[in-house]
Amino acid sequence: MKTPALLWSALIGAVASARSMTPMATLSAARLLGRSTPGSLALLDRPLFKFGALAMGAGELAGDKMKTAPDRTVFLGLLARVASAGIAGAALAPRGREPAGAATAIATAVPLAYLTLDARKRAMRHVGQTRSGLVEDLLVVAVGIAVVALAVRHGNGRSR
């Protein structure tokens, strides 16, 4: 069965809707493990970018549990989702389809940010901010890792 061309871009956009830095962190981890992405994106090969993305991903996971953490739908939160989803969506798109992959990921991430925020707020009322955040982290990071791993495998990601 053939995978739809922009499926991985859409799925990484869904990941960005809940955790803006997870797409970049998972892509960076894949690059550090010597895997390449279907789409060509030189930015992912810069060490400062790779390690910076990993640090920002870890920082976001910690910061999300703080009482002062802003909603993901504030302007800067959406801007981070647009940037991260766009870069990740382009990297996971088939070679030559990077702009379409970026657009697909962004078009998925922004509206889903509102839905994932609503789900998180409902979960917070039942189990609290920290517990709901940890569960969301586990789900989002696991999905992010799976999406990147599958995209790299199906896109014939080569070792670098």
Side-chain angles (χ1 to χ4, degrees), residues 6-7 9-11 13 89 99-109:
L6 299 175
L7 174 65
S9 298
L11 291 174
T104 298
I106 292 166
T108 304

Side-chain angles (χ1 to χ4, degrees), residues 90-107:
L92 297 183
R95 198 156 301 239
R97 305 269 324 265
E98 291 89 350
T104 298
I106 292 166

